[in-house]
PDB file of all heavy atoms in Angstrom:
ATOM      1  N   PRO A 109      17.102  28.914  39.286  1.00  0.00           N
ATOM      2  CA  PRO A 109      15.552  28.868  39.274  1.00  0.00           C
ATOM      3  C   PRO A 109      15.025  28.497  40.688  1.00  0.00           C
ATOM      4  O   PRO A 109      13.864  28.611  41.050  1.00  0.00           O
ATOM      5  CB  PRO A 109      15.175  27.718  38.385  1.00  0.00           C
ATOM      6  CG  PRO A 109      16.349  26.801  38.354  1.00  0.00           C
ATOM      7  CD  PRO A 109      17.578  27.705  38.691  1.00  0.00           C
ATOM      8  N   THR A 110      15.956  28.071  41.551  1.00  0.00           N
ATOM      9  CA  THR A 110      15.670  27.667  42.945  1.00  0.00           C
ATOM     10  C   THR A 110      17.048  27.329  43.481  1.00  0.00           C
ATOM     11  O   THR A 110      18.040  27.550  42.734  1.00  0.00           O
ATOM     12  CB  THR A 110      14.766  26.366  42.949  1.00  0.00           C
ATOM     13  OG1 THR A 110      14.789  25.806  44.311  1.00  0.00           O
ATOM     14  CG2 THR A 110      15.231  25.290  42.016  1.00  0.00           C
ATOM     15  N   ARG A 141      13.194  31.504  35.477  1.00  0.00           N
ATOM     16  CA  ARG A 141      12.718  30.312  34.907  1.00  0.00           C
ATOM     17  C   ARG A 141      12.230  30.641  33.467  1.00  0.00           C
ATOM     18  O   ARG A 141      11.517  31.592  33.333  1.00  0.00           O
ATOM     19  CB  ARG A 141      11.534  29.767  35.725  1.00  0.00           C
ATOM     20  CG  ARG A 141      11.995  29.204  37.052  1.00  0.00           C
ATOM     21  CD  ARG A 141      10.919  28.493  37.789  1.00  0.00           C
ATOM     22  NE  ARG A 141      11.369  28.295  39.151  1.00  0.00           N
ATOM     23  CZ  ARG A 141      10.638  27.649  40.199  1.00  0.00           C
ATOM     24  NH1 ARG A 141       9.382  27.350  39.890  1.00  0.00           N
ATOM     25  NH2 ARG A 141      11.190  27.479  41.345  1.00  0.00           N
ATOM     26  N   GLU A 143       9.871  29.990  31.675  1.00  0.00           N
ATOM     27  CA  GLU A 143       8.509  29.363  31.592  1.00  0.00           C
ATOM     28  C   GLU A 143       7.942  29.255  30.215  1.00  0.00           C
ATOM     29  O   GLU A 143       8.199  30.027  29.291  1.00  0.00           O
ATOM     30  CB  GLU A 143       7.495  30.367  32.321  1.00  0.00           C
ATOM     31  CG  GLU A 143       7.874  30.551  33.827  1.00  0.00           C
ATOM     32  CD  GLU A 143       7.309  29.371  34.724  1.00  0.00           C
ATOM     33  OE1 GLU A 143       6.767  28.484  34.172  1.00  0.00           O
ATOM     34  OE2 GLU A 143       7.625  29.488  35.948  1.00  0.00           O
ATOM     35  N   PRO A 146       4.952  32.547  30.101  1.00  0.00           N
ATOM     36  CA  PRO A 146       5.016  33.534  31.068  1.00  0.00           C
ATOM     37  C   PRO A 146       3.788  34.444  30.827  1.00  0.00           C
ATOM     38  O   PRO A 146       3.510  34.754  29.685  1.00  0.00           O
ATOM     39  CB  PRO A 146       6.334  34.316  30.699  1.00  0.00           C
ATOM     40  CG  PRO A 146       6.758  33.827  29.475  1.00  0.00           C
ATOM     41  CD  PRO A 146       6.006  32.636  29.078  1.00  0.00           C
ATOM     42  N   GLY A 149       1.392  39.105  34.192  1.00  0.00           N
ATOM     43  CA  GLY A 149       2.295  40.013  34.993  1.00  0.00           C
ATOM     44  C   GLY A 149       3.247  39.379  35.937  1.00  0.00           C
ATOM     45  O   GLY A 149       3.920  38.453  35.564  1.00  0.00           O
ATOM     46  N   LEU A 150       3.041  39.634  37.188  1.00  0.00           N
ATOM     47  CA  LEU A 150       3.950  39.089  38.239  1.00  0.00           C
ATOM     48  C   LEU A 150       3.522  37.628  38.532  1.00  0.00           C
ATOM     49  O   LEU A 150       4.370  36.949  39.215  1.00  0.00           O
ATOM     50  CB  LEU A 150       3.939  39.895  39.491  1.00  0.00           C
ATOM     51  CG  LEU A 150       4.416  41.396  39.289  1.00  0.00           C
ATOM     52  CD1 LEU A 150       4.263  42.058  40.683  1.00  0.00           C
ATOM     53  CD2 LEU A 150       5.837  41.466  38.880  1.00  0.00           C
ATOM     54  N   ILE A 151       2.462  37.177  38.177  1.00  0.00           N
ATOM     55  CA  ILE A 151       1.978  35.871  38.562  1.00  0.00           C
ATOM     56  C   ILE A 151       2.910  34.762  37.966  1.00  0.00           C
ATOM     57  O   ILE A 151       3.337  33.847  38.680  1.00  0.00           O
ATOM     58  CB  ILE A 151       0.491  35.625  38.055  1.00  0.00           C
ATOM     59  CG1 ILE A 151      -0.414  36.565  38.762  1.00  0.00           C
ATOM     60  CG2 ILE A 151       0.117  34.143  38.366  1.00  0.00           C
ATOM     61  CD1 ILE A 151      -0.688  36.326  40.189  1.00  0.00           C
ATOM     62  N   ARG A 152       3.237  34.886  36.667  1.00  0.00           N
ATOM     63  CA  ARG A 152       4.219  33.908  36.098  1.00  0.00           C
ATOM     64  C   ARG A 152       5.226  34.693  35.307  1.00  0.00           C
ATOM     65  O   ARG A 152       5.022  34.883  34.020  1.00  0.00           O
ATOM     66  CB  ARG A 152       3.434  32.914  35.279  1.00  0.00           C
ATOM     67  CG  ARG A 152       4.321  31.727  34.828  1.00  0.00           C
ATOM     68  CD  ARG A 152       3.610  30.596  34.172  1.00  0.00           C
ATOM     69  NE  ARG A 152       2.687  29.871  35.095  1.00  0.00           N
ATOM     70  CZ  ARG A 152       3.080  29.212  36.136  1.00  0.00           C
ATOM     71  NH1 ARG A 152       4.289  28.848  36.278  1.00  0.00           N
ATOM     72  NH2 ARG A 152       2.198  28.544  36.887  1.00  0.00           N
ATOM     73  N   GLY A 153       6.309  35.046  35.972  1.00  0.00           N
ATOM     74  CA  GLY A 153       7.390  35.792  35.185  1.00  0.00           C
ATOM     75  C   GLY A 153       8.501  34.902  34.792  1.00  0.00           C
ATOM     76  O   GLY A 153       8.665  33.785  35.307  1.00  0.00           O
ATOM     77  N   LYS A 154       9.381  35.421  33.914  1.00  0.00           N
ATOM     78  CA  LYS A 154      10.591  34.825  33.607  1.00  0.00           C
ATOM     79  C   LYS A 154      11.665  35.050  34.770  1.00  0.00           C
ATOM     80  O   LYS A 154      12.556  34.216  35.084  1.00  0.00           O
ATOM     81  CB  LYS A 154      11.286  35.185  32.362  1.00  0.00           C
ATOM     82  CG  LYS A 154      10.589  34.690  31.184  1.00  0.00           C
ATOM     83  CD  LYS A 154      11.451  35.073  29.904  1.00  0.00           C
ATOM     84  CE  LYS A 154      11.055  34.310  28.663  1.00  0.00           C
ATOM     85  NZ  LYS A 154      10.665  35.115  27.531  1.00  0.00           N
ATOM     86  N   GLU A 155      11.507  36.158  35.362  1.00  0.00           N
ATOM     87  CA  GLU A 155      12.366  36.555  36.486  1.00  0.00           C
ATOM     88  C   GLU A 155      11.340  36.993  37.592  1.00  0.00           C
ATOM     89  O   GLU A 155      10.340  37.660  37.352  1.00  0.00           O
ATOM     90  CB  GLU A 155      13.127  37.812  36.160  1.00  0.00           C
ATOM     91  CG  GLU A 155      13.977  38.258  37.310  1.00  0.00           C
ATOM     92  CD  GLU A 155      14.982  39.472  36.968  1.00  0.00           C
ATOM     93  OE1 GLU A 155      15.143  39.731  35.876  1.00  0.00           O
ATOM     94  OE2 GLU A 155      15.493  40.035  37.877  1.00  0.00           O
ATOM     95  N   PHE A 156      11.509  36.481  38.779  1.00  0.00           N
ATOM     96  CA  PHE A 156      10.692  36.778  39.852  1.00  0.00           C
ATOM     97  C   PHE A 156      11.327  36.815  41.189  1.00  0.00           C
ATOM     98  O   PHE A 156      12.464  36.375  41.252  1.00  0.00           O
ATOM     99  CB  PHE A 156       9.421  35.938  39.868  1.00  0.00           C
ATOM    100  CG  PHE A 156       9.711  34.439  40.020  1.00  0.00           C
ATOM    101  CD1 PHE A 156       9.655  33.740  41.375  1.00  0.00           C
ATOM    102  CD2 PHE A 156      10.192  33.715  38.933  1.00  0.00           C
ATOM    103  CE1 PHE A 156       9.999  32.408  41.469  1.00  0.00           C
ATOM    104  CE2 PHE A 156      10.386  32.290  39.020  1.00  0.00           C
ATOM    105  CZ  PHE A 156      10.380  31.671  40.357  1.00  0.00           C
ATOM    106  N   ILE A 157      10.716  37.315  42.217  1.00  0.00           N
ATOM    107  CA  ILE A 157      11.320  37.263  43.585  1.00  0.00           C
ATOM    108  C   ILE A 157      10.814  36.195  44.475  1.00  0.00           C
ATOM    109  O   ILE A 157       9.565  36.093  44.606  1.00  0.00           O
ATOM    110  CB  ILE A 157      11.170  38.674  44.276  1.00  0.00           C
ATOM    111  CG1 ILE A 157      11.635  39.759  43.384  1.00  0.00           C
ATOM    112  CG2 ILE A 157      11.857  38.694  45.602  1.00  0.00           C
ATOM    113  CD1 ILE A 157      11.197  41.132  43.902  1.00  0.00           C
ATOM    114  N   MET A 158      11.657  35.373  44.934  1.00  0.00           N
ATOM    115  CA  MET A 158      11.215  34.280  45.814  1.00  0.00           C
ATOM    116  C   MET A 158      12.038  34.345  47.069  1.00  0.00           C
ATOM    117  O   MET A 158      13.144  34.695  47.075  1.00  0.00           O
ATOM    118  CB  MET A 158      11.587  32.940  45.206  1.00  0.00           C
ATOM    119  CG  MET A 158      10.920  31.712  45.763  1.00  0.00           C
ATOM    120  SD  MET A 158      11.767  30.157  45.536  1.00  0.00           S
ATOM    121  CE  MET A 158      11.469  29.845  43.780  1.00  0.00           C
ATOM    122  N   LYS A 159      11.208  34.090  48.179  1.00  0.00           N
ATOM    123  CA  LYS A 159      11.886  33.773  49.450  1.00  0.00           C
ATOM    124  C   LYS A 159      12.016  32.368  49.584  1.00  0.00           C
ATOM    125  O   LYS A 159      11.043  31.620  49.384  1.00  0.00           O
ATOM    126  CB  LYS A 159      10.891  34.399  50.603  1.00  0.00           C
ATOM    127  CG  LYS A 159      11.440  34.277  52.007  1.00  0.00           C
ATOM    128  CD  LYS A 159      11.442  32.871  52.581  1.00  0.00           C
ATOM    129  CE  LYS A 159      10.143  32.224  52.633  1.00  0.00           C
ATOM    130  NZ  LYS A 159      10.248  30.751  53.003  1.00  0.00           N
ATOM    131  N   ILE A 203      11.419  19.546  42.472  1.00  0.00           N
ATOM    132  CA  ILE A 203      12.219  19.798  43.655  1.00  0.00           C
ATOM    133  C   ILE A 203      12.535  18.439  44.360  1.00  0.00           C
ATOM    134  O   ILE A 203      13.535  18.185  45.015  1.00  0.00           O
ATOM    135  CB  ILE A 203      11.479  20.683  44.635  1.00  0.00           C
ATOM    136  CG1 ILE A 203      10.918  21.911  44.083  1.00  0.00           C
ATOM    137  CG2 ILE A 203      12.287  20.961  45.930  1.00  0.00           C
ATOM    138  CD1 ILE A 203      11.988  23.060  43.895  1.00  0.00           C
ATOM    139  N   GLU A 210       1.077  23.064  49.294  1.00  0.00           N
ATOM    140  CA  GLU A 210       1.065  24.323  48.535  1.00  0.00           C
ATOM    141  C   GLU A 210       0.113  25.258  49.192  1.00  0.00           C
ATOM    142  O   GLU A 210      -1.026  24.788  49.663  1.00  0.00           O
ATOM    143  CB  GLU A 210       0.668  24.104  47.144  1.00  0.00           C
ATOM    144  CG  GLU A 210       1.676  23.446  46.315  1.00  0.00           C
ATOM    145  CD  GLU A 210       1.079  22.880  44.971  1.00  0.00           C
ATOM    146  OE1 GLU A 210      -0.126  22.782  44.776  1.00  0.00           O
ATOM    147  OE2 GLU A 210       1.927  22.607  44.079  1.00  0.00           O
ATOM    148  N   PHE A 211       0.461  26.518  49.303  1.00  0.00           N
ATOM    149  CA  PHE A 211      -0.546  27.548  49.734  1.00  0.00           C
ATOM    150  C   PHE A 211      -1.168  28.131  48.527  1.00  0.00           C
ATOM    151  O   PHE A 211      -0.528  28.785  47.631  1.00  0.00           O
ATOM    152  CB  PHE A 211       0.140  28.566  50.639  1.00  0.00           C
ATOM    153  CG  PHE A 211       0.600  28.054  51.945  1.00  0.00           C
ATOM    154  CD1 PHE A 211       1.578  27.159  52.191  1.00  0.00           C
ATOM    155  CD2 PHE A 211      -0.233  28.426  53.023  1.00  0.00           C
ATOM    156  CE1 PHE A 211       1.912  26.599  53.307  1.00  0.00           C
ATOM    157  CE2 PHE A 211       0.062  27.978  54.352  1.00  0.00           C
ATOM    158  CZ  PHE A 211       1.073  26.970  54.521  1.00  0.00           C
ATOM    159  N   GLU A 219      -4.024  28.527  37.561  1.00  0.00           N
ATOM    160  CA  GLU A 219      -3.592  27.480  36.557  1.00  0.00           C
ATOM    161  C   GLU A 219      -3.581  26.134  37.174  1.00  0.00           C
ATOM    162  O   GLU A 219      -3.280  25.084  36.630  1.00  0.00           O
ATOM    163  CB  GLU A 219      -2.168  27.851  36.025  1.00  0.00           C
ATOM    164  CG  GLU A 219      -2.350  29.125  35.144  1.00  0.00           C
ATOM    165  CD  GLU A 219      -1.006  29.485  34.462  1.00  0.00           C
ATOM    166  OE1 GLU A 219      -0.597  28.929  33.457  1.00  0.00           O
ATOM    167  OE2 GLU A 219      -0.361  30.337  35.149  1.00  0.00           O
ATOM    168  N   ASP A 220      -3.800  25.998  38.463  1.00  0.00           N
ATOM    169  CA  ASP A 220      -3.766  24.787  39.164  1.00  0.00           C
ATOM    170  C   ASP A 220      -5.295  24.364  39.527  1.00  0.00           C
ATOM    171  O   ASP A 220      -6.116  25.176  39.788  1.00  0.00           O
ATOM    172  CB  ASP A 220      -3.106  24.745  40.549  1.00  0.00           C
ATOM    173  CG  ASP A 220      -1.560  24.824  40.397  1.00  0.00           C
ATOM    174  OD1 ASP A 220      -1.091  23.612  40.006  1.00  0.00           O
ATOM    175  OD2 ASP A 220      -0.964  25.809  40.484  1.00  0.00           O
ATOM    176  N   ASN A 233      -3.934  19.344  45.539  1.00  0.00           N
ATOM    177  CA  ASN A 233      -3.706  19.693  44.168  1.00  0.00           C
ATOM    178  C   ASN A 233      -4.262  18.422  43.297  1.00  0.00           C
ATOM    179  O   ASN A 233      -4.031  17.349  43.762  1.00  0.00           O
ATOM    180  CB  ASN A 233      -2.232  19.945  43.859  1.00  0.00           C
ATOM    181  CG  ASN A 233      -2.004  20.596  42.612  1.00  0.00           C
ATOM    182  OD1 ASN A 233      -2.369  20.069  41.478  1.00  0.00           O
ATOM    183  ND2 ASN A 233      -1.323  21.813  42.518  1.00  0.00           N
ATOM    184  N   THR A 404      -4.010  29.613  42.353  1.00  0.00           N
ATOM    185  CA  THR A 404      -2.679  29.912  42.082  1.00  0.00           C
ATOM    186  C   THR A 404      -1.809  29.763  43.311  1.00  0.00           C
ATOM    187  O   THR A 404      -2.278  30.143  44.416  1.00  0.00           O
ATOM    188  CB  THR A 404      -2.655  31.491  41.761  1.00  0.00           C
ATOM    189  OG1 THR A 404      -3.458  31.738  40.643  1.00  0.00           O
ATOM    190  CG2 THR A 404      -1.242  31.936  41.276  1.00  0.00           C
ATOM    191  N   GLU A 405      -0.718  29.122  43.087  1.00  0.00           N
ATOM    192  CA  GLU A 405       0.191  28.803  44.321  1.00  0.00           C
ATOM    193  C   GLU A 405       1.001  30.008  44.646  1.00  0.00           C
ATOM    194  O   GLU A 405       1.679  30.558  43.782  1.00  0.00           O
ATOM    195  CB  GLU A 405       1.064  27.573  43.819  1.00  0.00           C
ATOM    196  CG  GLU A 405       2.111  27.252  44.803  1.00  0.00           C
ATOM    197  CD  GLU A 405       3.128  26.317  44.124  1.00  0.00           C
ATOM    198  OE1 GLU A 405       2.898  25.563  43.360  1.00  0.00           O
ATOM    199  OE2 GLU A 405       4.358  26.576  44.579  1.00  0.00           O
ATOM    200  N   VAL A 406       0.975  30.430  45.923  1.00  0.00           N
ATOM    201  CA  VAL A 406       1.837  31.504  46.332  1.00  0.00           C
ATOM    202  C   VAL A 406       2.935  31.010  47.236  1.00  0.00           C
ATOM    203  O   VAL A 406       3.992  31.735  47.382  1.00  0.00           O
ATOM    204  CB  VAL A 406       1.039  32.499  47.173  1.00  0.00           C
ATOM    205  CG1 VAL A 406       0.227  33.425  46.161  1.00  0.00           C
ATOM    206  CG2 VAL A 406       0.022  31.902  48.173  1.00  0.00           C
ATOM    207  N   GLY A 407       2.897  29.737  47.795  1.00  0.00           N
ATOM    208  CA  GLY A 407       3.975  29.300  48.523  1.00  0.00           C
ATOM    209  C   GLY A 407       3.895  27.755  48.609  1.00  0.00           C
ATOM    210  O   GLY A 407       2.890  27.160  48.287  1.00  0.00           O
ATOM    211  N   GLN A 408       5.070  27.175  48.948  1.00  0.00           N
ATOM    212  CA  GLN A 408       5.112  25.689  48.956  1.00  0.00           C
ATOM    213  C   GLN A 408       6.121  25.250  50.050  1.00  0.00           C
ATOM    214  O   GLN A 408       7.225  25.824  50.048  1.00  0.00           O
ATOM    215  CB  GLN A 408       5.417  25.099  47.659  1.00  0.00           C
ATOM    216  CG  GLN A 408       5.303  23.547  47.663  1.00  0.00           C
ATOM    217  CD  GLN A 408       5.152  22.913  46.289  1.00  0.00           C
ATOM    218  OE1 GLN A 408       5.416  23.594  45.299  1.00  0.00           O
ATOM    219  NE2 GLN A 408       4.827  21.658  46.186  1.00  0.00           N
ATOM    220  N   PHE A 410       8.174  21.836  51.297  1.00  0.00           N
ATOM    221  CA  PHE A 410       8.487  20.531  51.117  1.00  0.00           C
ATOM    222  C   PHE A 410       9.310  19.773  52.105  1.00  0.00           C
ATOM    223  O   PHE A 410      10.319  20.404  52.724  1.00  0.00           O
ATOM    224  CB  PHE A 410       9.517  20.423  49.809  1.00  0.00           C
ATOM    225  CG  PHE A 410       8.997  20.829  48.595  1.00  0.00           C
ATOM    226  CD1 PHE A 410       9.179  22.275  48.159  1.00  0.00           C
ATOM    227  CD2 PHE A 410       8.482  19.973  47.614  1.00  0.00           C
ATOM    228  CE1 PHE A 410       8.778  22.607  46.930  1.00  0.00           C
ATOM    229  CE2 PHE A 410       8.035  20.360  46.426  1.00  0.00           C
ATOM    230  CZ  PHE A 410       8.165  21.730  46.007  1.00  0.00           C
ATOM    231  N   TYR A 439      11.363  25.546  51.502  1.00  0.00           N
ATOM    232  CA  TYR A 439      10.145  26.413  51.707  1.00  0.00           C
ATOM    233  C   TYR A 439      10.154  27.624  50.913  1.00  0.00           C
ATOM    234  O   TYR A 439      11.011  28.468  51.098  1.00  0.00           O
ATOM    235  CB  TYR A 439      10.064  26.793  53.171  1.00  0.00           C
ATOM    236  CG  TYR A 439      10.396  25.564  54.012  1.00  0.00           C
ATOM    237  CD1 TYR A 439      11.673  25.339  54.550  1.00  0.00           C
ATOM    238  CD2 TYR A 439       9.305  24.628  54.544  1.00  0.00           C
ATOM    239  CE1 TYR A 439      11.939  24.360  55.282  1.00  0.00           C
ATOM    240  CE2 TYR A 439       9.717  23.613  55.314  1.00  0.00           C
ATOM    241  CZ  TYR A 439      11.053  23.450  55.754  1.00  0.00           C
ATOM    242  OH  TYR A 439      11.387  22.346  56.587  1.00  0.00           O
ATOM    243  N   GLY A 440       9.357  27.737  49.895  1.00  0.00           N
ATOM    244  CA  GLY A 440       9.415  28.903  48.993  1.00  0.00           C
ATOM    245  C   GLY A 440       8.103  29.750  49.020  1.00  0.00           C
ATOM    246  O   GLY A 440       7.009  29.283  49.201  1.00  0.00           O
ATOM    247  N   ILE A 441       8.345  31.088  48.963  1.00  0.00           N
ATOM    248  CA  ILE A 441       7.182  31.938  48.737  1.00  0.00           C
ATOM    249  C   ILE A 441       7.469  32.852  47.568  1.00  0.00           C
ATOM    250  O   ILE A 441       8.602  33.333  47.494  1.00  0.00           O
ATOM    251  CB  ILE A 441       6.892  32.878  49.951  1.00  0.00           C
ATOM    252  CG1 ILE A 441       6.378  31.996  51.103  1.00  0.00           C
ATOM    253  CG2 ILE A 441       5.891  34.028  49.673  1.00  0.00           C
ATOM    254  CD1 ILE A 441       5.935  32.815  52.371  1.00  0.00           C
ATOM    255  N   GLY A 442       6.480  32.830  46.638  1.00  0.00           N
ATOM    256  CA  GLY A 442       6.625  33.735  45.509  1.00  0.00           C
ATOM    257  C   GLY A 442       6.313  35.086  45.955  1.00  0.00           C
ATOM    258  O   GLY A 442       5.103  35.433  46.058  1.00  0.00           O
ATOM    259  N   VAL A 443       7.313  36.001  46.326  1.00  0.00           N
ATOM    260  CA  VAL A 443       7.023  37.193  46.927  1.00  0.00           C
ATOM    261  C   VAL A 443       6.318  38.194  45.881  1.00  0.00           C
ATOM    262  O   VAL A 443       5.317  38.910  46.207  1.00  0.00           O
ATOM    263  CB  VAL A 443       8.356  37.785  47.498  1.00  0.00           C
ATOM    264  CG1 VAL A 443       8.071  39.226  48.003  1.00  0.00           C
ATOM    265  CG2 VAL A 443       8.834  36.910  48.583  1.00  0.00           C
ATOM    266  N   SER A 444       6.931  38.239  44.680  1.00  0.00           N
ATOM    267  CA  SER A 444       6.311  39.068  43.695  1.00  0.00           C
ATOM    268  C   SER A 444       4.890  38.616  43.213  1.00  0.00           C
ATOM    269  O   SER A 444       4.003  39.396  43.089  1.00  0.00           O
ATOM    270  CB  SER A 444       7.246  39.145  42.514  1.00  0.00           C
ATOM    271  OG  SER A 444       7.749  37.860  42.167  1.00  0.00           O
ATOM    272  N   ARG A 445       4.792  37.231  43.095  1.00  0.00           N
ATOM    273  CA  ARG A 445       3.504  36.714  42.786  1.00  0.00           C
ATOM    274  C   ARG A 445       2.453  36.970  43.929  1.00  0.00           C
ATOM    275  O   ARG A 445       1.327  37.395  43.581  1.00  0.00           O
ATOM    276  CB  ARG A 445       3.573  35.190  42.568  1.00  0.00           C
ATOM    277  CG  ARG A 445       2.189  34.548  42.262  1.00  0.00           C
ATOM    278  CD  ARG A 445       2.360  33.027  42.107  1.00  0.00           C
ATOM    279  NE  ARG A 445       2.990  32.658  40.892  1.00  0.00           N
ATOM    280  CZ  ARG A 445       2.988  31.361  40.492  1.00  0.00           C
ATOM    281  NH1 ARG A 445       2.611  30.384  41.218  1.00  0.00           N
ATOM    282  NH2 ARG A 445       3.646  31.090  39.355  1.00  0.00           N
ATOM    283  N   THR A 446       2.849  36.943  45.180  1.00  0.00           N
ATOM    284  CA  THR A 446       1.930  37.196  46.321  1.00  0.00           C
ATOM    285  C   THR A 446       1.536  38.671  46.236  1.00  0.00           C
ATOM    286  O   THR A 446       0.331  38.899  46.452  1.00  0.00           O
ATOM    287  CB  THR A 446       2.762  37.021  47.660  1.00  0.00           C
ATOM    288  OG1 THR A 446       3.127  35.642  47.718  1.00  0.00           O
ATOM    289  CG2 THR A 446       1.940  37.464  48.869  1.00  0.00           C
TER     290      THR A 446
HETATM  291  P1  ATP B   1       3.958  26.861  39.481  1.00  0.00           P
HETATM  292  O1  ATP B   1       3.355  25.555  39.793  1.00  0.00           O
HETATM  293  O2  ATP B   1       2.957  28.006  39.724  1.00  0.00           O
HETATM  294  O3  ATP B   1       4.818  26.985  38.244  1.00  0.00           O
HETATM  295  P2  ATP B   1       6.188  26.049  41.052  1.00  0.00           P
HETATM  296  O4  ATP B   1       5.530  24.999  41.874  1.00  0.00           O
HETATM  297  O5  ATP B   1       6.960  25.683  39.953  1.00  0.00           O
HETATM  298  O6  ATP B   1       5.020  27.057  40.685  1.00  0.00           O
HETATM  299  P3  ATP B   1       8.060  26.437  43.230  1.00  0.00           P
HETATM  300  O7  ATP B   1       9.256  25.806  42.627  1.00  0.00           O
HETATM  301  O8  ATP B   1       7.326  25.780  44.307  1.00  0.00           O
HETATM  302  O9  ATP B   1       7.127  26.963  42.082  1.00  0.00           O
HETATM  303  O10 ATP B   1       8.492  28.007  43.728  1.00  0.00           O
HETATM  304  C1  ATP B   1       8.111  28.450  44.942  1.00  0.00           C
HETATM  305  C2  ATP B   1       7.196  29.768  44.708  1.00  0.00           C
HETATM  306  O11 ATP B   1       7.664  30.693  43.662  1.00  0.00           O
HETATM  307  C3  ATP B   1       5.789  29.274  44.140  1.00  0.00           C
HETATM  308  O12 ATP B   1       5.001  28.957  45.228  1.00  0.00           O
HETATM  309  C4  ATP B   1       5.377  30.609  43.452  1.00  0.00           C
HETATM  310  O13 ATP B   1       4.686  31.369  44.318  1.00  0.00           O
HETATM  311  C5  ATP B   1       6.536  31.287  43.005  1.00  0.00           C
HETATM  312  N1  ATP B   1       6.826  31.108  41.512  1.00  0.00           N
HETATM  313  C6  ATP B   1       7.219  30.015  40.894  1.00  0.00           C
HETATM  314  N2  ATP B   1       7.302  30.161  39.567  1.00  0.00           N
HETATM  315  C7  ATP B   1       6.983  31.518  39.387  1.00  0.00           C
HETATM  316  C8  ATP B   1       7.048  32.388  38.253  1.00  0.00           C
HETATM  317  N3  ATP B   1       7.282  31.983  37.136  1.00  0.00           N
HETATM  318  N4  ATP B   1       6.746  33.745  38.466  1.00  0.00           N
HETATM  319  C9  ATP B   1       6.391  34.120  39.688  1.00  0.00           C
HETATM  320  N5  ATP B   1       6.314  33.391  40.827  1.00  0.00           N
HETATM  321  C10 ATP B   1       6.727  32.058  40.643  1.00  0.00           C
END
Side-chain angles (χ1 to χ4, degrees):
T110 169
R141 294 185 186 179
E143 296 279 0
L150 299 180
I151 297 286
R152 189 171 296 287
K154 282 190 165 127
E155 176 176 350
F156 58 97
I157 303 169
M158 194 202 289
K159 184 285 301 170
I203 310 275
E210 286 165 343
F211 285 74
E219 294 180 85
D220 283 285
N233 195 305
T404 302
E405 176 195 323
V406 284
Q408 186 162 14
F410 293 90
Y439 317 90
I441 287 184
V443 176
S444 43
R445 178 183 286 185
T446 295

